[in-house]
Amino acid sequence: MRLTSKGRYAVMALVDLARFDGINPVSLRDISLRQGISLDYLEQIFSKLRKKEIVQSVRGTQGGYILNRKAKEIKLTNIFDAVDEKVKTVQCKKESKKGCNGKSTKCLTHNLWDELETHINNFFDKKSLDDLVKENLERRL
Amino acid sequence: MRLTSKGRYAVMALVDLARFDGINPVSLRDISLRQGISLDYLEQIFSKLRKKEIVQSVRGTQGGYILNRKAKEIKLTNIFDAVDEKVKTVQCKKESKKGCNGKSTKCLTHNLWDELETHINNFFDKKSLDDLVKENLERRL
DNA sequence: TGATACTTGACTATTTTGGTCAGGTTTATA
DNA sequence: TATAAACCTGACCAAAATAGTCAAGTATCA
C-alpha cells in the first residue's frame, strides 16, 4: 500500500503555498524550484485543485495561485479528493449488495477493510493545512 | 493509495484456514474453491507465509497447511510483512539524514507521512487473526 | 506588446500488479 | 511400490496505474 506522488506533491505544494499566502500570489515556478517538482506536473495538479476550489488562480505577470479558503479549513481529505488520491482497500464495494467474489455473502474480510478505510480517513479528516504549516514552523526554530 | 490483492488474499486465506485449524491440515485447493482465489496464486502467497513461519505445510495426500502459531498471536502486521505488503508513504526514508529531495532539509511534509504510517501500522498491530475469525462467526449468527 | 503565467490535452516510458504456466519434488496410502 | 494429491519453484506475461513530458495554446499585467 503506497501513497502516490500526486497526493504527496499536492500536499507539499500547498504547504509551500500556504506559508507565503496572504501577500502575493505564489507562482508554480517558485514552488517547482523550492520543492523540486516538475513545473508541468505541478500544472496538472493545480488544475485539479482549482476545479475543486481549493486554490484560486491569478493570471498575468506576478500571477500565481492563492488559497481559496483559510488554511484551517482545508483538510487533507479535501486535497486528496481533489487529486483523485483515494484510499481503496476493497474492490468489492460497488456490488456490495450481491456480495464480493460473485458469491452471495460478503468476503470473510470485508468488514476489516471497511474499518481500515475509516481508520485512515479519520486521520485525513483531522489534519488541516494549517496544522502542517504550524508543525513546520515549529520544527524550524 | 490502495491495498494490493496479495495482501487481501493472504488475509482472506488465513482467516479461512484459521476457521478449520486444529483438526486436519487445510489444502490450498479447498481454500481456492471456497474463497475464489486461483490455486497458483495461493501457492505463491503460502510459500511466503511459510518462510515467515506463519504457517506450516504438511505434505502428501491429505496434506495442506496449518497455522504455525496461535491465531491470537498472528497480527495483521505479520501477514502483510510476509507477503511484502508494505505501507509506503515516503520515498525519502533511506537518505533521511541527508534530507529528502536531495536538499539539506527534510521535505515540508516528511513528518506528516511518518505520522500516517504509524497511524496505519497501529491498526495492523492491534488486529489479530483470531479477532477476524471471531468477528466473522458473530456476523454469521 | 511582450513577458509571464496559467490552461489543456495528448502522449509515453516505466513500474507494479495480478496473475498464468510449466515442470518439478515430496509423501501418504492403497 | 506406484500413484495421486499436494506442495514448490521460477519464468513469464498482459493490463493497468504511475509519473511524468511535450506541445500548443490563452489570458493578463506592466
Side-chain angles (χ1 to χ4, degrees):
Chain A
M1 191 160 59
R2 43 202 286 275
L3 202 66
T4 67
S5 76
K6 199 164 261 175
R8 217 175 324 127
Y9 287 169
V11 177
M12 283 171 66
L14 282 175
V15 171
D16 185 304
L17 196 162
R19 291 167 70 200
F20 293 90
D21 193 55
I23 312 151
N24 290 313
V26 180
S27 75
L28 292 190
R29 204 176 93 85
D30 288 352
I31 297 179
S32 165
L33 291 174
R34 279 194 296 258
Q35 303 303 326
I37 305 168
S38 122
L39 179 60
D40 283 317
Y41 205 23
L42 274 179
E43 282 172 352
Q44 270 186 46
I45 293 170
F46 272 76
S47 166
K48 293 180 182 223
L49 293 175
R50 195 178 58 82
K51 279 174 190 157
K52 292 284 182 169
E53 299 180 333
I54 291 173
V55 295
Q56 262 186 3
S57 67
V58 178
R59 311 191 79 147
T61 313
Q62 302 301 319
Y65 284 94
I66 54 174
L67 293 182
N68 198 29
R69 308 181 232 158
K70 286 177 186 167
K72 198 172 283 182
E73 287 158 18
I74 300 174
K75 304 291 183 183
L76 283 192
T77 308
N78 307 134
I79 300 173
F80 284 141
D81 182 53
V83 297
D84 303 310
E85 174 87 47
K86 279 168 196 162
V87 178
K88 276 188 207 168
T89 56
V90 272
Q91 280 160 331
C92 34
K93 275 237 160 140
K94 286 176 192 168
E95 61 256 69
S96 62
K97 285 174 190 172
K98 285 198 328 190
C100 297
N101 351 20
K103 302 192 175 180
S104 58
T105 55
K106 284 186 186 170
C107 59
L108 292 179
T109 49
H110 196 106
N111 279 16
L112 172 67
W113 311 127
D114 271 354
E115 276 181 56
L116 174 58
E117 263 192 37
T118 305
H119 184 76
I120 296 175
N121 284 324
N122 273 346
F123 182 84
F124 291 152
D125 281 336
K126 277 178 196 159
K127 282 273 176 188
S128 75
L129 199 51
D130 192 52
D131 294 333
L132 297 178
V133 174
K134 280 181 182 159
E135 280 175 26
N136 216 264
L137 291 177
E138 281 168 22
R139 267 212 341 265
R140 301 239 147 198
L141 297 181
Chain B
M1 192 159 59
R2 42 201 287 276
L3 203 65
T4 67
S5 76
K6 199 163 262 175
R8 219 178 319 129
Y9 287 168
V11 177
M12 283 172 67
L14 283 174
V15 171
D16 186 303
L17 197 163
R19 291 167 70 200
F20 293 90
D21 193 54
I23 312 153
N24 291 311
V26 180
S27 75
L28 293 190
R29 203 176 94 84
D30 288 353
I31 296 179
S32 165
L33 290 174
R34 279 194 296 259
Q35 302 304 324
I37 304 168
S38 125
L39 179 59
D40 283 318
Y41 205 25
L42 274 179
E43 281 175 354
Q44 271 186 45
I45 292 170
F46 272 77
S47 166
K48 293 180 182 221
L49 293 175
R50 196 178 57 82
K51 279 175 192 157
K52 293 284 183 170
E53 300 179 332
I54 291 173
V55 295
Q56 261 186 3
S57 68
V58 179
R59 310 190 80 149
T61 313
Q62 303 300 320
Y65 284 95
I66 54 174
L67 293 182
N68 199 29
R69 307 181 232 158
K70 286 178 187 167
K72 199 172 280 181
E73 287 158 18
I74 299 174
K75 304 290 185 185
L76 283 192
T77 309
N78 307 132
I79 302 173
F80 284 141
D81 183 52
V83 298
D84 302 310
E85 174 87 49
K86 279 169 196 159
V87 179
K88 276 189 208 167
T89 55
V90 270
Q91 283 160 330
C92 35
K93 275 231 158 146
K94 287 174 192 168
E95 60 256 71
S96 62
K97 284 174 189 172
K98 287 196 334 190
C100 297
N101 350 20
K103 304 194 174 179
S104 58
T105 54
K106 284 187 188 171
C107 58
L108 292 179
T109 50
H110 196 106
N111 278 15
L112 172 67
W113 311 127
D114 271 353
E115 274 181 59
L116 174 57
E117 264 192 34
T118 304
H119 184 76
I120 296 175
N121 283 324
N122 273 346
F123 183 84
F124 292 151
D125 281 335
K126 276 180 198 158
K127 283 272 178 189
S128 75
L129 200 51
D130 192 51
D131 294 333
L132 296 179
V133 174
K134 280 181 183 158
E135 282 175 23
N136 217 262
L137 290 176
E138 282 168 22
R139 269 216 335 266
R140 300 238 146 200
L141 299 178

